[in-house]
Amino acid sequence: SKLEITAVTRDAKNESWGRLLEFDDLDGTHHAWAMPMELLKGDGAEYRGVLLSMGLQMSTMTKARNLLTQYIQIAPAEQRARCVERTGWHGSVFVMPGRTIGAADERILYQSAISAPSTFKHRGNLVDWQRHVAAPCVGNSRLVFAVSTAFAAPLLHITGMESGGLHYRGNSSTGKTTALRVAASVWGGTEYLQRWRATDNGLEALAAQHSDCLLLLDELNQVDPRAAGAAAYMLANGSGK
C-alpha cells in the first residue's frame, strides 16, 4: 500500500511526538492514524499490527519491515500538528477520534497507540433526527431526560460545572436500554453504547475516550458488586488512578 506521512505531531509540551499516517485500503476507504513514535521501539510489531488491522498491505520480509520503520521515522513532513490523548475541549476546539471541531492556531489531532474503530458516528441529518428520534420522545420524561443529558455533556466544561453520573433503575424490560440508545443517537447510534463489564483500568481508559462527551454504560449487573461503587465514584469524580 502507498503509505504517506502527512504531518509530524507533538503535544503542548513538545513531547509525545508522533506521525500522521494516511493510506487507502483495498476497498478504497481512506485511513488516517496519528501514531505515537514510541511504538517504533523494539521490532515494531505493535505498530505493524495496528496498520495491518486497518488494512495496510505490507511485505512479510524482514528487510521490508525494517525499511518501513526507517521510512516512518525519517521521512520528512512539512505539516505540524498538536496531538492530544483524550477527547473533548482543548482550548477553543473540540476533539473527537476522527474529527476536530473549531479553529485553532495549529491543527489538533487525537493521537492514540491503538486505532480502534471510533464509536462517534454520523448518519442522516438534523431534521431526520428531530423527526424520527426527538419528536417521539415528547411526553416521556425519561427519554427527554436522556436526550437532554446527551446534549449537556460537552457543556459542563464551558459552564465550569463538575461531572457526575445518572442511573436508570427499574425492572427488566421497562425501557432502560431504550433510553440509553436514544441518548446514544446524539453521539453515534447504538454502537456508541458501552457496557459496565470491564476492569477498573478498562473503565478508566473508556472514560478517557469519552472526556467531555457522554459515556453510556449498560448492564450494571454484569460488574462485580464490590467493584461497582468504586468504579462509579471514579467515573463521576472525573479522575483515575
Side-chain angles (χ1 to χ4, degrees):
S1 302
K2 180 183 179 182
L3 178 68
E4 295 184 285
I5 293 88
T6 56
V8 174
T9 63
R10 69 271 193 254
D11 66 14
K13 299 179 181 179
N14 264 45
E15 298 177 352
S16 300
W17 287 76
R19 298 288 188 271
L20 180 59
L21 311 180
E22 299 192 53
F23 68 94
D24 295 332
D25 63 23
L26 292 176
D27 290 335
T29 301
H30 188 72
H31 295 267
W33 177 36
M35 184 201 77
M37 289 293 285
E38 63 181 355
L39 294 186
L40 296 179
K41 66 181 183 293
D43 65 355
E46 190 173 355
Y47 89 82
R48 289 197 304 272
V50 175
L51 289 175
L52 286 169
S53 70
M54 295 171 66
L56 184 77
Q57 301 295 302
M58 65 179 72
S59 171
T60 59
M61 302 296 291
T62 302
K63 181 179 179 180
R65 292 178 177 180
N66 294 336
L67 287 173
L68 176 61
T69 299
Q70 183 180 356
Y71 166 65
I72 295 174
Q73 190 160 359
I74 68 174
E78 295 182 0
Q79 294 188 30
R80 290 287 191 274
R82 292 292 175 186
C83 64
V84 296
E85 296 180 345
R86 64 171 179 82
T87 60
W89 290 104
H90 295 272
S92 60
V93 302
F94 193 87
V95 179
M96 293 182 288
R99 182 185 179 190
T100 298
I101 301 174
D105 295 336
E106 194 171 18
R107 185 181 182 185
I108 299 180
L109 299 170
Y110 179 79
Q111 181 168 292
S112 174
I114 61 174
S115 183
S118 173
T119 57
F120 294 83
K121 301 291 184 182
H122 176 268
R123 174 189 288 181
N125 55 53
L126 176 60
V127 173
D128 287 338
W129 180 86
Q130 291 172 328
R131 180 183 298 116
H132 298 293
V133 180
C137 294
V138 175
N140 187 312
S141 60
R142 276 80 171 168
L143 297 182
V144 170
F145 184 71
V147 171
S148 300
T149 303
F151 282 111
L155 302 180
L156 296 179
H157 175 77
I158 297 176
T159 57
M161 297 181 67
E162 293 183 357
S163 182
L166 303 157
H167 179 49
Y168 279 94
R169 182 173 179 270
N171 295 327
S172 178
S173 301
T174 55
K176 299 187 299 298
T177 299
T178 298
L180 297 183
R181 288 177 175 173
V182 169
S185 70
V186 175
W187 290 89
T190 55
E191 62 269 22
Y192 188 83
L193 184 60
Q194 305 293 325
R195 298 291 186 271
W196 272 100
R197 189 174 182 178
T199 63
D200 289 350
N201 290 338
L203 285 174
E204 187 174 330
L206 191 62
Q209 296 170 12
H210 293 77
S211 179
D212 290 330
C213 306
L214 180 69
L215 174 60
L216 295 166
L217 298 173
D218 198 12
E219 303 295 348
L220 180 61
N221 61 351
Q222 292 184 354
V223 69
D224 186 342
R226 295 171 296 182
Y233 186 84
M234 179 266 294
L235 293 171
N237 194 42
S239 60
K241 299 175 182 178

